[in-house]
Amino acid sequence: MNFWQTLKKPILVLAPMADVTDPAFRRIIAKYGKPDVMWTEFVSADGLFLGGYDALIKDLAFAEEERPVVAQFFTSHPDMMRKASELARTLGFDGIDINMGCPDKSVEKQGAGAALIKNPKLAREIIRAAKEGAGDLPVSVKTRIGFNKSELETWLPELLAEEPAVITVHARTRKEMSLVPARWEHVKRAVEI
């Protein structure tokens, strides 16, 4: 079931933030200011299945009051994304989100996060793999407007070709990180595209 289609607009969410939106933080937010949707912190799909399961599974804990809650993963390996999506479905998440916007150098070295902006073919393979593993759960993508400059005109159509349930656009490039104000005109253009 695609919960995204049942939400009233405007949709208010608790964005996924590394080292912030952990289970304890989300429970506090759910109790005192519940948004329409919550995400986990991003979790390494590779790490879950290549030796770090016991440490990372804790990041995927959630409580019923957080629903709808979306598990966010990063990887550059479609097979790992498929497995992570299957795991999220088994754990009872309401959706799967793929991080294609993280500018962290250790994530980019793996070819994941914002590095996927430079590899649309692989990005599309990862979306397809997530959808295979997710079953009937909606798959969404979080990304940026481009790597060094705005690439919405070419990047966004690549993502849209895979028909994700939602695309969340961080209105800055990877190069800009969060050092400049959000470029809201690019969000408007993303909606037009």
Side-chain angles (χ1 to χ4, degrees):
M1 178 173 143
N2 187 344
F3 71 88
W4 290 105
Q5 296 171 342
T6 65
L7 297 175
K8 293 179 182 172
K9 294 182 181 176
I11 300 169
L12 300 176
V13 304
L14 176 64
M17 296 173 278
D19 299 325
V20 177
T21 54
D22 63 13
F25 181 81
R26 291 193 319 271
R27 287 192 186 112
I28 292 169
I29 296 298
K31 183 175 181 179
Y32 294 105
K34 174 73 173 70
D36 297 315
V37 183
M38 298 177 117
W39 276 263
T40 65
E41 298 178 80
F42 73 155
V43 175
S44 169
D46 299 358
L48 279 168
F49 301 104
L50 298 175
Y53 184 88
D54 290 339
L56 293 174
I57 193 67
K58 297 171 190 163
D59 294 333
L60 295 174
F62 68 90
E64 286 300 309
E65 58 267 19
E66 296 174 50
R67 291 191 184 278
V69 61
V70 177
Q72 189 185 75
F73 300 108
F74 71 93
T75 185
S76 61
H77 300 99
D79 56 327
M80 292 294 137
M81 182 56 73
R82 186 177 303 103
K83 288 172 124 179
S85 295
E86 289 170 356
L87 174 63
R89 186 181 72 218
T90 301
L91 293 173
F93 277 93
D94 299 301
I96 313 296
D97 190 68
I98 306 166
N99 185 305
M100 295 189 183
C102 179
D104 185 84
K105 290 189 186 306
S106 66
V107 172
E108 285 184 342
K109 276 185 182 178
Q110 300 171 44
L116 286 166
I117 297 170
K118 298 189 293 186
N119 193 342
K121 181 177 183 255
L122 179 58
R124 290 181 66 174
E125 289 174 25
I126 289 171
I127 295 170
R128 285 193 298 271
K131 289 173 116 181
E132 289 169 14
D136 60 353
L137 293 181
V139 172
S140 56
V141 174
K142 179 187 180 239
T143 191
R144 290 175 176 264
I145 61 172
F147 199 82
N148 289 318
K149 61 184 184 355
S150 176
E151 300 170 62
L152 277 178
E153 301 296 327
T154 55
W155 172 233
L156 199 52
E158 291 283 349
L159 299 176
L160 289 168
E162 298 303 328
E163 300 182 348
V166 167
I167 297 176
T168 305
V169 178
H170 183 137
R172 299 172 182 94
T173 65
R174 184 270 175 232
K175 182 179 180 181
E176 293 169 332
M177 310 264 294
S178 292
L179 302 174
V180 301
R183 297 165 171 245
W184 295 107
E185 68 276 13
H186 290 287
V187 173
K188 179 182 178 192
R189 181 60 189 139
V191 171
E192 293 167 354
I193 294 170

